[in-house]
Amino acid sequence: MATEQEYRDLYDRVAALRQQVASRLANELTVNPQLGDALVKQLDDMLQNVEKSDQAKPAPPDGGLAQLTGLGPQAAQELGATRMPSGVEAYDETVASERVHAVGDLYYLYQHEKIGVFKVVQKLQELFQGGALRLSDGPGAFGLYKFDRRDVLRYTRKDRMAAYRRILGYGRGAGAAGSRPNTDFHTLFTHFNNQVALFWRDKRISDVIRMRAYDPSFGSIAIVRRAGLDLRNNLKFTSYGHLNVLRVEVMQLLDEAFRILGSEDVKKLFGADNAWDVVDEVLIRYFDQRLVTSPRQRMGVTGRQVMRWLAAPHILESTRAEFETLLLEIAESAEEWITSAQSLGLANRTEAERVLPWDRHRPVGVAAGADAVPRRSTRPAHSRRGGLGVYRGSGMPADRRPRTRVPR
């Protein structure tokens, strides 16, 4: 294990090497800034390899305490001869990718649940059992017969709603017993998508203003990385339990539902071209529901792609060129998710707020995402600002009260 003196000497030598390389290649770095990133990356990799090899060496039985306290034959004569650990494993590298993948699939399922896919199949099954559908022995009829035969073995709708509430924070109520709703998910997810989209908008603007621009003020990878790590760490504590089994089972249920909706006899019954047309037709005809099929479905697809990207170690990449190349995979997905969510009133584009405060005052009706319900004011009507009551203490109607300018 490295001693305290070797620990100090290592970082002093690395700092001197960085300064020497920068001074010798100053002219080349001015013309080709990407060369600086490559050099910094190589030096960082060399330093990380030294630290990893040092951590791999077995520690003494007492952890170096005898050297530090001066007891026994291994007592150190000076502080520089004592054992100096280099650190512990980084916090952001301990997230299991399979759990983030599972959350992405659950988010995909939630959007289809909000569209009403399972509700549509249940309605068709109800009409089929009541003899109200002109179906008899086709694949759709046989599928409707089998759809709930295994219902006793499946997670119920109540179980699915409890999982959405616990993991995504969507829905109402306290969720399952002993669980806590993840009310921060929607805010963090919206913030990350906004930062990814804003990063690429800034980069495109810089490319237009100055050809091959390389100003760090145009698109900060540190802000995108911080937003992504905040979201990934949030998912880390909510993706335990039966999530993996539940999302596999419900994905199978969704596939079975679309096989029924896409069968020829069911499509012919509603004059539809595909399964989605059947969903829209049933929602309009039997539920008189406003269709949000397209934006909801795209939110599910693009949101799952963004979370799949977060499950990979791309967010920890520190080199600008490599980070931009990897981030390009979800650039359009993040932009499309924001556009779809904005059309439904579930998210807003942020241009100035680059950093999301960790301890913040949440606006009313935003924390729970799609299912948030605005709170009603508990104050009497006559005391609400801008109401039609009476101006307090004057007997004057509120719409005719005097307007006074308050100094800021």
Side-chain angles (χ1 to χ4, degrees):
M1 301 297 290
T3 63
E4 195 274 339
Q5 182 65 42
E6 294 173 348
Y7 181 82
R8 267 189 287 126
D9 292 343
L10 172 63
Y11 283 93
D12 290 341
R13 292 197 304 270
V14 171
L17 179 59
R18 293 179 190 272
Q19 185 176 5
Q20 187 175 9
V21 170
S23 62
R24 289 187 178 184
L25 300 177
N27 296 331
E28 290 80 358
L29 292 174
T30 303
V31 179
N32 184 14
Q34 287 83 355
L35 179 61
D37 277 349
L39 293 174
V40 171
K41 176 66 174 176
Q42 291 182 4
L43 294 175
D44 288 343
D45 291 342
M46 292 171 55
L47 184 59
Q48 288 178 4
N49 292 333
V50 173
E51 292 178 350
K52 288 180 180 179
S53 63
D54 183 69
Q55 291 175 356
K57 295 178 181 179
D62 62 347
L65 182 62
Q67 295 177 347
L68 189 62
T69 57
L71 300 176
Q74 297 181 352
Q77 297 295 329
E78 57 183 8
L79 182 62
T82 58
R83 173 178 175 263
M84 181 64 186
S86 59
V88 297
E89 184 180 5
Y91 177 84
D92 294 319
E93 297 179 0
T94 60
V95 177
S97 61
E98 62 270 12
R99 299 211 306 269
V100 182
H101 281 296
V103 176
D105 291 336
L106 188 72
Y107 183 82
Y108 178 82
L109 290 168
Y110 171 78
Q111 296 302 337
H112 286 79
E113 186 102 41
K114 291 296 293 182
I115 290 172
V117 173
F118 300 126
K119 181 171 65 173
V120 166
V121 178
Q122 292 291 346
K123 185 63 178 180
L124 291 179
Q125 191 178 47
E126 176 186 336
L127 296 173
F128 176 70
Q129 293 173 353
L133 292 181
R134 294 181 178 272
L135 298 175
S136 56
D137 58 352
F142 190 51
L144 288 173
Y145 162 75
K146 296 189 302 180
F147 188 72
D148 63 347
R149 294 298 94 183
R150 299 184 296 274
D151 187 58
V152 68
L153 302 176
R154 285 176 171 157
Y155 287 102
T156 63
R157 184 178 183 275
K158 181 180 179 180
D159 296 329
R160 300 198 304 270
M161 293 301 164
Y164 299 146
R165 182 65 172 156
R166 176 176 68 88
I167 299 168
L168 304 177
Y170 295 152
R172 297 175 175 84
S179 66
R180 183 175 63 180
N182 185 15
T183 54
D184 291 327
F185 166 76
H186 186 76
T187 304
L188 293 172
F189 190 53
T190 303
H191 181 62
F192 176 65
N193 283 295
N194 264 309
Q195 295 308 317
V196 173
L198 188 58
F199 177 89
W200 285 103
R201 271 178 271 164
D202 289 346
K203 181 171 175 55
R204 294 188 188 101
I205 292 173
S206 68
D207 291 340
V208 171
I209 296 176
R210 296 184 302 168
M211 187 176 181
R212 295 192 299 271
Y214 196 78
D215 188 350
S217 63
F218 288 96
S220 173
I221 64 174
I223 296 177
V224 179
R225 182 186 297 113
R226 184 67 264 160
L229 291 175
D230 288 344
L231 174 60
R232 200 173 71 158
N233 293 333
N234 173 265
L235 300 179
K236 173 182 178 180
F237 295 101
T238 59
S239 54
Y240 292 105
H242 66 309
L243 169 62
N244 276 295
V245 179
L246 181 141
R247 58 106 177 190
V248 172
E249 181 178 295
V250 182
M251 285 293 290
Q252 294 176 357
L253 183 65
L254 181 65
D255 178 73
E256 185 177 348
F258 265 81
R259 291 180 184 275
I260 296 173
L261 297 172
S263 59
E264 292 299 327
D265 52 345
V266 173
K267 290 192 297 183
K268 183 179 179 181
L269 181 66
F270 290 95
D273 295 328
N274 52 55
W276 282 114
D277 290 345
V278 176
V279 172
D280 292 342
E281 184 65 28
V282 173
L283 291 176
I284 295 174
R285 183 180 302 183
Y286 295 101
F287 296 97
D288 192 23
Q289 182 173 319
R290 182 176 70 91
L291 298 180
V292 292
T293 309
S294 179
R296 282 280 185 186
Q297 212 275 331
R298 292 309 301 171
M299 284 178 65
V301 172
T302 56
R304 181 166 67 166
Q305 290 175 351
V306 171
M307 292 189 205
R308 284 175 175 174
W309 188 88
L310 276 177
H314 305 328
I315 194 68
L316 299 174
E317 182 60 52
S318 59
T319 305
R320 173 177 287 270
E322 296 181 11
F323 185 84
E324 288 183 358
T325 303
L326 296 171
L327 191 64
L328 183 61
E329 179 184 349
I330 59 170
E332 299 301 328
S333 298
E335 192 79 52
E336 186 175 356
W337 186 90
I338 294 174
T339 304
S340 301
Q342 191 176 18
S343 67
L344 297 175
L346 304 179
N348 294 319
R349 293 182 181 273
T350 58
E351 299 292 343
E353 297 179 1
R354 298 295 185 106
V355 180
L356 185 67
W358 186 255
D359 186 12
R360 62 193 178 280
H361 298 284
R362 299 191 189 96
V364 176
V366 174
D371 295 321
V373 179
R375 301 176 184 174
R376 293 182 178 273
S377 175
T378 57
R379 294 182 297 170
H382 66 271
S383 65
R384 297 176 194 170
R385 185 175 299 177
L388 296 179
V390 178
Y391 185 56
R392 286 181 291 180
S394 65
M396 184 180 299
D399 57 345
R400 297 186 61 186
R401 65 189 179 192
R403 298 182 179 178
T404 58
R405 184 179 298 275
V406 180
R408 296 182 179 179

